[in-house]
Amino acid sequence: DVKVTQSSRYLVKRTGEKVFLECVQDMDHENMFWYRQDPGLGLRLIYFSYDVKMKEKGDIPEGYSVSREKKERFSLILESASTNQTSMYLCASSLWDLAGGPGTQYFGPGTRLTVL
Amino acid sequence: QQPVQSPQAVILREGEDAVINCSSSKALYSVHWYRQKHGEAPVFLMILLKGGEQKGHEKISASFNEKKQQSSLYLTASQLSYSGTYFCGTETRMEYGNKLVFGAGTILRVKS
């Protein structure tokens, strides 16, 4: 079974703090993704990576950065946390499918971040 | 560019049927369906590729009309375990590889 783990289930930070969210997958997947989930807005893509040291902006990258130094690990960084970044953050990983698409995504349990 | 899902929410009694729709304004390469139970991570249900195929998973099936850029998820004889939020993800082309964009979700609640 694919396992995607996230460093914390719940996190409380103060405005202006630098926040690191870690994600690790154990199935040698090339692709990794960071989403935020807010009520009524669904899953919105923040950043993704198709290879080590490679990153691409998703639909809502402002205020975030990422790091992928190893294939199995993908980190999301909030340089200076703000209250509007309070949300559930989900990490996912996948293999390319046979048609060259992003493939079935396996999600981690999520980190609920509260910024005070 | 987020696909539009309808309805936003639906309440069923056990044994009833439901249809969840997903439509996009962009040309699609595939449609993915996921279900997220309360407090859990989203879990993959099925993928539909170009070609108008229909797929099934137990009593849950889906269709994909690539010309209309629409997909529908059919839940028949619903069970309590079907409760959750259903997301469609639409695959669209990008220069460095296709990406998946998720809809806002449809909340399904099955009552006994």
Side-chain angles (χ1 to χ4, degrees):
Chain A
D1 271 357
V2 175
K3 193 166 183 185
V4 180
T5 56
Q6 295 183 228
S7 49
S8 307
R9 288 301 301 269
Y10 300 94
L11 208 53
V12 180
K13 295 292 182 181
R14 295 208 173 272
T15 302
E17 280 192 82
K18 191 169 186 175
V19 181
F20 292 87
L21 302 182
E22 305 285 341
C23 175
V24 178
Q25 50 95 4
D26 66 357
M27 283 301 290
D28 205 33
H29 284 177
E30 298 108 341
N31 312 319
M32 296 189 75
F33 309 84
W34 275 106
Y35 295 91
R36 65 177 281 176
Q37 183 175 18
D38 301 287
L41 297 177
L43 301 164
R44 293 181 294 165
L45 183 63
I46 304 171
Y47 266 97
F48 58 99
S49 169
Y50 288 154
D51 201 353
V52 175
K53 296 194 185 292
M54 175 271 181
K55 58 186 178 185
E56 291 292 341
K57 292 180 180 178
D59 300 314
I60 51 164
E62 296 78 20
Y64 304 95
S65 62
V66 290
S67 172
R68 194 168 180 199
E69 296 295 319
K70 292 186 177 181
K71 190 174 186 179
E72 67 271 18
R73 188 179 297 268
F74 193 35
S75 303
L76 180 70
I77 303 156
L78 288 68
E79 296 289 342
S80 178
S82 64
T83 55
N84 63 12
Q85 292 179 310
T86 291
S87 186
M88 171 68 84
Y89 289 88
L90 290 164
C91 174
S93 72
S94 77
L95 288 168
W96 290 110
D97 63 29
L98 293 176
T104 301
Q105 298 197 9
Y106 295 87
F107 286 86
T111 295
R112 184 164 292 284
L113 173 67
T114 302
V115 182
L116 301 175
Chain B
Q1 65 176 5
Q2 196 175 26
V4 177
Q5 286 187 234
S6 63
Q8 289 183 329
V10 58
I11 300 174
L12 301 174
R13 292 208 173 273
E14 272 188 295
E16 291 182 335
D17 302 339
V19 180
I20 299 171
N21 299 302
C22 174
S23 64
S24 174
S25 59
K26 291 179 174 274
L28 302 179
Y29 287 81
S30 72
V31 178
H32 298 217
W33 285 97
Y34 290 75
R35 175 173 64 202
Q36 183 180 31
K37 298 197 176 185
H38 183 68
E40 298 180 9
V43 173
F44 173 78
L45 290 176
M46 65 189 78
I47 179 173
L48 298 111
L49 305 176
K50 285 171 72 171
E53 64 176 291
Q54 185 153 348
K55 276 197 169 179
H57 174 73
E58 297 177 345
K59 292 181 181 175
I60 301 174
S61 62
S63 62
F64 175 29
N65 186 325
E66 62 190 273
K67 288 183 181 176
K68 292 187 176 180
Q69 294 146 208
Q70 294 175 348
S71 178
S72 295
L73 186 72
Y74 306 95
L75 300 101
T76 57
S78 59
Q79 305 167 16
L80 294 174
S81 62
Y82 287 2
S83 293
T85 302
Y86 290 77
F87 294 100
C88 70
T90 52
E91 181 187 348
T92 54
R93 176 169 291 282
M94 299 177 72
E95 57 183 280
Y96 35 75
N98 294 355
K99 78 169 186 181
L100 210 57
V101 181
F102 287 96
T106 295
I107 299 170
L108 177 76
R109 184 180 165 203
V110 180
K111 300 189 332 181
S112 57

mmCIF file of all heavy atoms in Angstrom, chain A residues 40-43, chain B residues 2-3 5-9 20 85-88 102-107:
data_model
loop_
_atom_site.group_PDB
_atom_site.id
_atom_site.type_symbol
_atom_site.label_atom_id
_atom_site.label_comp_id
_atom_site.label_asym_id
_atom_site.label_seq_id
_atom_site.Cartn_x
_atom_site.Cartn_y
_atom_site.Cartn_z
ATOM 1 N N GLY A 40 -16.263 24.687 0.621
ATOM 2 C CA GLY A 40 -16.883 25.308 -0.544
ATOM 3 C C GLY A 40 -15.937 25.588 -1.695
ATOM 4 O O GLY A 40 -16.384 25.976 -2.775
ATOM 5 N N LEU A 41 -14.644 25.388 -1.472
ATOM 6 C CA LEU A 41 -13.659 25.669 -2.530
ATOM 7 C C LEU A 41 -12.963 24.412 -3.033
ATOM 8 O O LEU A 41 -12.222 24.451 -4.024
ATOM 9 C CB LEU A 41 -12.615 26.677 -2.041
ATOM 10 C CG LEU A 41 -13.139 28.055 -1.676
ATOM 11 C CD1 LEU A 41 -12.013 28.925 -1.133
ATOM 12 C CD2 LEU A 41 -13.802 28.727 -2.877
ATOM 13 N N GLY A 42 -13.152 23.314 -2.363
ATOM 14 C CA GLY A 42 -12.560 22.062 -2.802
ATOM 15 C C GLY A 42 -11.061 22.009 -2.567
ATOM 16 O O GLY A 42 -10.530 22.623 -1.645
ATOM 17 N N LEU A 43 -10.385 21.273 -3.423
ATOM 18 C CA LEU A 43 -8.932 21.097 -3.315
ATOM 19 C C LEU A 43 -8.274 22.018 -4.338
ATOM 20 O O LEU A 43 -8.468 21.864 -5.533
ATOM 21 C CB LEU A 43 -8.558 19.639 -3.625
ATOM 22 C CG LEU A 43 -9.195 18.591 -2.724
ATOM 23 C CD1 LEU A 43 -9.085 17.219 -3.352
ATOM 24 C CD2 LEU A 43 -8.520 18.599 -1.366
ATOM 25 N N GLN B 2 -11.499 25.901 -12.570
ATOM 26 C CA GLN B 2 -11.935 24.803 -11.729
ATOM 27 C C GLN B 2 -13.204 24.196 -12.331
ATOM 28 O O GLN B 2 -14.125 24.923 -12.721
ATOM 29 C CB GLN B 2 -12.230 25.344 -10.321
ATOM 30 C CG GLN B 2 -12.329 24.321 -9.240
ATOM 31 C CD GLN B 2 -12.509 24.953 -7.858
ATOM 32 O OE1 GLN B 2 -13.025 26.058 -7.720
ATOM 33 N NE2 GLN B 2 -12.073 24.242 -6.837
ATOM 34 N N PRO B 3 -13.298 22.858 -12.427
ATOM 35 C CA PRO B 3 -14.535 22.276 -12.951
ATOM 36 C C PRO B 3 -15.697 22.560 -12.006
ATOM 37 O O PRO B 3 -15.503 22.722 -10.803
ATOM 38 C CB PRO B 3 -14.232 20.781 -13.013
ATOM 39 C CG PRO B 3 -13.107 20.561 -12.075
ATOM 40 C CD PRO B 3 -12.315 21.835 -12.070
ATOM 41 N N GLN B 5 -19.025 21.363 -10.200
ATOM 42 C CA GLN B 5 -19.741 20.166 -9.757
ATOM 43 C C GLN B 5 -21.159 20.552 -9.338
ATOM 44 O O GLN B 5 -21.389 21.608 -8.745
ATOM 45 C CB GLN B 5 -19.039 19.514 -8.561
ATOM 46 C CG GLN B 5 -17.775 18.798 -8.932
ATOM 47 C CD GLN B 5 -17.210 18.015 -7.756
ATOM 48 O OE1 GLN B 5 -16.047 18.199 -7.401
ATOM 49 N NE2 GLN B 5 -18.013 17.136 -7.164
ATOM 50 N N SER B 6 -22.095 19.649 -9.634
ATOM 51 C CA SER B 6 -23.468 19.836 -9.175
ATOM 52 C C SER B 6 -24.080 18.479 -8.860
ATOM 53 O O SER B 6 -23.726 17.477 -9.500
ATOM 54 C CB SER B 6 -24.299 20.554 -10.259
ATOM 55 O OG SER B 6 -24.369 19.755 -11.427
ATOM 56 N N PRO B 7 -24.947 18.403 -7.856
ATOM 57 C CA PRO B 7 -25.299 19.491 -6.942
ATOM 58 C C PRO B 7 -24.175 19.745 -5.927
ATOM 59 O O PRO B 7 -23.206 19.000 -5.882
ATOM 60 C CB PRO B 7 -26.546 18.944 -6.246
ATOM 61 C CG PRO B 7 -26.330 17.464 -6.238
ATOM 62 C CD PRO B 7 -25.611 17.141 -7.513
ATOM 63 N N GLN B 8 -24.336 20.780 -5.132
ATOM 64 C CA GLN B 8 -23.343 21.052 -4.088
ATOM 65 C C GLN B 8 -23.494 20.061 -2.954
ATOM 66 O O GLN B 8 -22.511 19.707 -2.296
ATOM 67 C CB GLN B 8 -23.524 22.478 -3.560
ATOM 68 C CG GLN B 8 -23.116 23.544 -4.548
ATOM 69 C CD GLN B 8 -23.229 24.933 -3.967
ATOM 70 O OE1 GLN B 8 -24.099 25.167 -3.118
ATOM 71 N NE2 GLN B 8 -22.407 25.852 -4.403
ATOM 72 N N ALA B 9 -24.727 19.644 -2.703
ATOM 73 C CA ALA B 9 -24.984 18.698 -1.622
ATOM 74 C C ALA B 9 -26.238 17.914 -1.944
ATOM 75 O O ALA B 9 -27.138 18.407 -2.637
ATOM 76 C CB ALA B 9 -25.144 19.423 -0.290
ATOM 77 N N ILE B 20 -23.969 12.715 -9.650
ATOM 78 C CA ILE B 20 -23.157 13.911 -9.423
ATOM 79 C C ILE B 20 -22.519 14.282 -10.750
ATOM 80 O O ILE B 20 -21.935 13.424 -11.428
ATOM 81 C CB ILE B 20 -22.071 13.657 -8.359
ATOM 82 C CG1 ILE B 20 -22.725 13.279 -7.027
ATOM 83 C CG2 ILE B 20 -21.186 14.887 -8.199
ATOM 84 C CD1 ILE B 20 -21.730 12.806 -5.975
ATOM 85 N N THR B 85 -17.677 13.448 0.811
ATOM 86 C CA THR B 85 -17.599 14.487 -0.207
ATOM 87 C C THR B 85 -16.938 13.909 -1.446
ATOM 88 O O THR B 85 -15.868 13.298 -1.349
ATOM 89 C CB THR B 85 -16.801 15.700 0.296
ATOM 90 O OG1 THR B 85 -17.409 16.206 1.477
ATOM 91 C CG2 THR B 85 -16.767 16.798 -0.760
ATOM 92 N N TYR B 86 -17.564 14.081 -2.571
ATOM 93 C CA TYR B 86 -17.067 13.556 -3.833
ATOM 94 C C TYR B 86 -16.456 14.683 -4.650
ATOM 95 O O TYR B 86 -17.081 15.726 -4.850
ATOM 96 C CB TYR B 86 -18.202 12.883 -4.614
ATOM 97 C CG TYR B 86 -18.658 11.601 -3.973
ATOM 98 C CD1 TYR B 86 -19.481 11.611 -2.849
ATOM 99 C CD2 TYR B 86 -18.239 10.364 -4.475
ATOM 100 C CE1 TYR B 86 -19.875 10.426 -2.238
ATOM 101 C CE2 TYR B 86 -18.643 9.179 -3.869
ATOM 102 C CZ TYR B 86 -19.448 9.228 -2.747
ATOM 103 O OH TYR B 86 -19.828 8.042 -2.157
ATOM 104 N N PHE B 87 -15.243 14.443 -5.108
ATOM 105 C CA PHE B 87 -14.546 15.427 -5.925
ATOM 106 C C PHE B 87 -14.280 14.855 -7.308
ATOM 107 O O PHE B 87 -13.853 13.705 -7.437
ATOM 108 C CB PHE B 87 -13.180 15.785 -5.311
ATOM 109 C CG PHE B 87 -13.249 16.494 -4.004
ATOM 110 C CD1 PHE B 87 -13.064 15.799 -2.820
ATOM 111 C CD2 PHE B 87 -13.478 17.857 -3.948
ATOM 112 C CE1 PHE B 87 -13.110 16.445 -1.594
ATOM 113 C CE2 PHE B 87 -13.532 18.524 -2.731
ATOM 114 C CZ PHE B 87 -13.347 17.807 -1.553
ATOM 115 N N CYS B 88 -14.504 15.667 -8.320
ATOM 116 C CA CYS B 88 -14.004 15.297 -9.642
ATOM 117 C C CYS B 88 -12.715 16.080 -9.877
ATOM 118 O O CYS B 88 -12.558 17.204 -9.402
ATOM 119 C CB CYS B 88 -15.027 15.574 -10.744
ATOM 120 S SG CYS B 88 -15.355 17.314 -11.107
ATOM 121 N N PHE B 102 -9.215 20.093 -9.375
ATOM 122 C CA PHE B 102 -10.361 19.536 -8.677
ATOM 123 C C PHE B 102 -11.502 20.527 -8.582
ATOM 124 O O PHE B 102 -11.303 21.746 -8.482
ATOM 125 C CB PHE B 102 -9.961 19.099 -7.264
ATOM 126 C CG PHE B 102 -9.132 17.848 -7.225
ATOM 127 C CD1 PHE B 102 -7.751 17.922 -7.168
ATOM 128 C CD2 PHE B 102 -9.736 16.597 -7.250
ATOM 129 C CE1 PHE B 102 -6.982 16.772 -7.133
ATOM 130 C CE2 PHE B 102 -8.981 15.439 -7.220
ATOM 131 C CZ PHE B 102 -7.593 15.529 -7.163
ATOM 132 N N GLY B 103 -12.711 19.977 -8.570
ATOM 133 C CA GLY B 103 -13.887 20.787 -8.331
ATOM 134 C C GLY B 103 -14.067 21.068 -6.849
ATOM 135 O O GLY B 103 -13.292 20.599 -6.014
ATOM 136 N N ALA B 104 -15.115 21.818 -6.535
ATOM 137 C CA ALA B 104 -15.360 22.227 -5.143
ATOM 138 C C ALA B 104 -15.935 21.097 -4.298
ATOM 139 O O ALA B 104 -15.969 21.197 -3.071
ATOM 140 C CB ALA B 104 -16.290 23.433 -5.122
ATOM 141 N N GLY B 105 -16.398 20.049 -4.942
ATOM 142 C CA GLY B 105 -16.899 18.901 -4.199
ATOM 143 C C GLY B 105 -18.406 18.871 -4.080
ATOM 144 O O GLY B 105 -19.069 19.910 -4.131
ATOM 145 N N THR B 106 -18.949 17.666 -3.934
ATOM 146 C CA THR B 106 -20.373 17.452 -3.678
ATOM 147 C C THR B 106 -20.493 16.649 -2.401
ATOM 148 O O THR B 106 -19.927 15.561 -2.300
ATOM 149 C CB THR B 106 -21.042 16.684 -4.837
ATOM 150 O OG1 THR B 106 -21.006 17.488 -6.013
ATOM 151 C CG2 THR B 106 -22.481 16.333 -4.492
ATOM 152 N N ILE B 107 -21.206 17.212 -1.441
ATOM 153 C CA ILE B 107 -21.393 16.519 -0.160
ATOM 154 C C ILE B 107 -22.578 15.577 -0.287
ATOM 155 O O ILE B 107 -23.687 15.994 -0.620
ATOM 156 C CB ILE B 107 -21.642 17.530 0.968
ATOM 157 C CG1 ILE B 107 -20.442 18.473 1.110
ATOM 158 C CG2 ILE B 107 -21.914 16.802 2.289
ATOM 159 C CD1 ILE B 107 -20.695 19.650 2.027
#
